[in-house]
């Protein structure tokens, strides 16, 4: 009877070890998949932000930018929240501020047709657009690193 | 007094754009004059829903909300009267900032 119990306990322990090992490997694989997926989405987001920056700077440099361009810029700005927030990499207050500053630097001044003038390439506004865009990209990178490294 | 509900995309435009009326038909100035100032004149309050529009320019938001302070309404009165609802939290930050600094421009 004692031998049987000992054998039984041994089998249970073996199975528990197998299940524990499997769950650890599974978790590790899931983490790696999540990391890969978020990394791919971040790459896409970074391209979106850089394209937005380029498009915004071009818009401010041009004498008569197409009205459609301003609509595209605003649509892209609107997409940022819905694409970044679900990743849960950045605290929502911090993300709100970063997008606010980027939108403000691009669309507060010189954006409307009536008041638009072509800016000089070294203008302060263009520098601020670049800085706001870079702040958002840096925050995305550091948030990714701190979560997955 | 009943609390008003203003769905900007449905009640005003899905394409709000521009600061003043000369910038286009759906400017921040027009939204302020037709939707926001009447609420304050009645000493009322309103929920403003921003989802559904195809993006906002800061000049629109600044003129609509910061413009209220330049029109003589106090920061406290404006903040108390309007509750902003938006999935994009950055819009709430931005509007609050323009109300707080509306008189400075």
């Amino acid at each position: 009877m004692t031998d049987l119990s000992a054998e039984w306990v041994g089998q249970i322990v073996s199975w528990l070890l197998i299940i524990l090992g499997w769950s650890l490997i599974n978790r590790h694989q899931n983490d790696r998949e999540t990391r890969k997926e978020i990394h791919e989405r971040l790459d896409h987001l970074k391209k979106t932000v850089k394209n937005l920056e380029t498009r915004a700077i071009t818009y401010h440099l041009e004498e008569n930018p197409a009205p459609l361009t301003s609509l595209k810029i605003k649509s892209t700005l609107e997409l940022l929240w819905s694409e970044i927030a679900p990743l849960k990499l950045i605290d929502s207050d911090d993300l709100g501020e970063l997008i606010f500053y980027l939108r403000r630097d691009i669309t507060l001044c010189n954006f409307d047709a009536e008041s638009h003038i072509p800016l000089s390439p070294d203008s302060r506004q263009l520098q601020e657009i670049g800085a706001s865009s870079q702040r958002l990209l840096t925050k995305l990178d550091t948030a990714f690193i701190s979560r997955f490294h | 007094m009943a609390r008003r509900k203003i769905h900007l995309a449905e009640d005003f435009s899905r394409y709000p754009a521009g600061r003043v009326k000369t910038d286009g038909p759906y400017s921040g100035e027009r939204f302020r004059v037709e939707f926001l100032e009447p609420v304050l004149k009645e000493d009322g309050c309103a929920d403003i829903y921003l989802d559904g529009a195809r993006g906002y320019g800061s000049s629109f938001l600044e003129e609509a909300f910061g413009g209220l302070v330049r029109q003589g309404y106090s920061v406290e009165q404006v903040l108390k009267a309007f509750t902003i609802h938006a999935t994009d939290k950055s819009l709430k930050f931005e509007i609050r900032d323009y109300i707080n600094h509306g008189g400075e421009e």
Side-chain angles (χ1 to χ4, degrees):
Chain A
M1 191 71 179
T2 313
D3 286 348
L4 272 176
S5 295
E7 193 180 322
W8 223 69
V9 169
Q11 280 191 355
I12 289 173
V13 169
S14 298
W15 275 108
L16 283 176
L17 286 173
I18 289 167
I19 291 167
L20 183 70
W22 173 81
S23 78
L24 281 174
I25 291 168
N26 193 42
R27 207 173 95 183
H28 188 65
Q29 280 179 334
N30 284 344
D31 286 349
R32 209 164 44 194
E33 281 301 309
T34 304
R35 182 183 186 278
K36 193 178 158 195
E37 192 182 315
I38 291 182
H39 193 266
E40 282 171 7
R41 287 168 73 177
L42 264 188
D43 278 347
H44 168 74
L45 264 169
K46 284 194 236 171
K47 279 181 198 155
T48 303
V49 173
K50 286 310 283 180
N51 286 342
L52 172 66
E53 179 190 335
T54 306
R55 182 174 273 165
I57 286 174
T58 307
Y59 181 92
H60 284 289
L61 286 171
E62 284 178 351
E63 183 140 9
N64 293 304
L68 189 62
T69 310
S70 73
L71 193 62
K72 281 181 182 167
I73 288 171
K74 285 192 293 181
S75 297
T76 308
L77 282 164
E78 196 209 356
L79 275 177
L80 290 180
W81 178 273
S82 59
E83 296 212 354
I84 299 173
L87 300 179
K88 293 183 177 158
L89 284 173
I90 304 177
D91 170 77
S92 66
D93 283 356
D94 291 343
L95 180 59
E97 273 194 4
L98 287 163
I99 296 177
F100 154 36
Y101 292 138
L102 183 59
R103 181 171 49 238
R104 182 196 63 188
D105 291 337
I106 294 173
T107 68
L108 181 62
C109 300
N110 200 46
F111 194 70
D112 302 318
E114 278 292 304
S115 56
H116 180 81
I117 53 162
L119 297 180
S120 126
D122 62 350
S123 80
R124 187 184 166 88
Q125 187 175 352
L126 298 187
Q127 289 170 20
E128 283 172 353
I129 291 170
S132 294
S133 159
Q134 193 52 51
R135 266 198 299 275
L136 178 57
L137 292 171
T138 303
K139 185 72 182 179
L140 285 169
D141 274 337
T142 53
F144 179 80
I145 289 167
S146 69
R147 179 162 159 191
F148 291 105
H149 287 82
Chain B
M1 181 167 291
R3 199 173 175 87
R4 287 195 200 180
K5 287 184 189 299
I6 300 170
H7 293 265
L8 197 144
E10 293 165 27
D11 301 335
F12 184 62
S13 172
R14 285 193 72 210
Y15 301 93
R19 177 180 288 277
V20 292
K21 287 176 181 171
T22 48
D23 287 323
Y26 302 108
S27 65
E29 180 186 13
R30 187 178 159 205
F31 182 68
R32 170 169 52 77
V33 171
E34 293 183 13
F35 286 83
L36 303 182
E37 288 182 17
V39 173
L40 292 172
K41 280 175 187 161
E42 292 171 11
D43 207 18
C45 49
D47 288 302
I48 300 177
Y49 297 87
L50 298 179
D51 287 355
R54 294 296 302 274
Y56 292 91
S58 294
S59 57
F60 174 91
L61 298 171
E62 203 286 328
E63 186 60 40
F65 293 92
L68 291 168
V69 179
R70 286 193 294 280
Q71 290 298 310
Y73 297 101
S74 73
V75 170
E76 293 72 26
Q77 187 183 4
V78 176
L79 287 173
K80 195 177 161 195
F82 299 109
T83 304
I84 308 297
H85 301 269
T87 307
D88 180 345
K89 207 170 181 177
S90 71
L91 291 168
K92 295 183 194 176
F93 275 111
E94 185 158 6
I95 288 170
R96 198 168 56 217
D97 188 77
Y98 294 147
I99 293 170
N100 281 321
H101 300 101
E104 294 170 12
E105 214 189 48

